[in-house]
Amino acid sequence: MLLAERMTSHPVLIATAIAGDEEMQRRIARHRSERGAHWTTVEAPLGVGEAIAKFSAGETTVVDCLTFWLFNTMQEQKHLESEVARLIDAIEKSPANLILVSNEVGLGVVPATTIGRDFRDEQGRLNQRLAEIADQVIFLAAGLPLTLKPER
């Protein structure tokens, strides 16, 4: 979030989380209060590509996070390949400054369920696609940034 605030005084957040229970509602409320009033929030649990397409050159937009977006898309039983293709297309065509947040879920324990393993694999594939098209990739672990792909 600090990166976006260094780039503009009016950053935009595309939020993908769904407040499905009280704990998640509290998390979302905490994130909102931490951002402050100068942020604009667009809620897009599924339509991230469409939301990205609305921003112009010079605008700075954070998508937080594509892991929730992927989960939501899989839960809705959308055709995943076409949804990912639409997202990638929107990212590639966007003139806005985009900061994409995604989790690396493949570093943990192998899930015990088929759906868990499928999700982990799809997240890995999505992260690879995003890394291919990104100008820069930063991995954050223990609060420390590690540049995986330097800015071009």
Side-chain angles (χ1 to χ4, degrees):
M1 298 299 179
L2 292 175
L3 176 61
E5 290 177 333
R6 285 194 302 256
M7 296 171 74
T8 183
S9 59
H10 299 290
V12 176
L13 174 75
I14 298 175
T16 62
I18 296 172
D21 59 32
E22 287 183 30
E23 186 271 339
M24 194 58 163
Q25 291 169 5
R26 286 191 302 273
R27 282 179 182 260
I28 291 170
R30 186 183 79 236
H31 280 260
R32 277 192 186 125
S33 70
E34 289 172 353
R35 278 195 304 274
H38 61 288
W39 280 82
T40 299
T41 302
V42 175
E43 295 194 18
L46 291 169
V48 173
E50 292 83 354
I52 287 171
K54 295 178 182 176
F55 295 99
S56 306
E59 291 185 280
T60 298
T61 305
V62 176
V63 179
D64 191 7
C65 81
L66 288 166
T67 306
F68 272 124
W69 171 82
L70 179 67
F71 176 79
N72 297 339
T73 301
M74 291 177 76
Q75 284 290 103
E76 290 293 316
Q77 299 181 351
K78 300 271 187 184
H79 186 261
L80 198 54
E81 280 186 44
S82 62
E83 293 298 316
V84 168
R86 286 182 12 191
L87 173 67
I88 297 295
D89 185 58
I91 291 168
E92 289 182 315
K93 289 179 178 174
S94 177
N97 301 313
L98 297 176
I99 300 169
L100 308 173
V101 178
S102 187
N103 295 292
E104 178 50 69
V105 298
L107 294 175
V109 176
V110 176
T113 63
T114 302
I115 193 166
R117 290 187 298 274
D118 288 347
F119 175 76
R120 180 199 58 186
D121 294 345
E122 292 298 340
Q123 185 66 57
R125 283 189 275 278
L126 176 61
N127 287 346
Q128 289 174 13
R129 297 274 311 275
L130 294 170
E132 280 178 20
I133 64 171
D135 292 333
Q136 181 180 31
V137 177
I138 299 171
F139 180 73
L140 192 63
L144 301 173
L146 174 63
T147 300
L148 300 180
K149 181 178 178 180
E151 192 169 2
R152 39 175 157 142

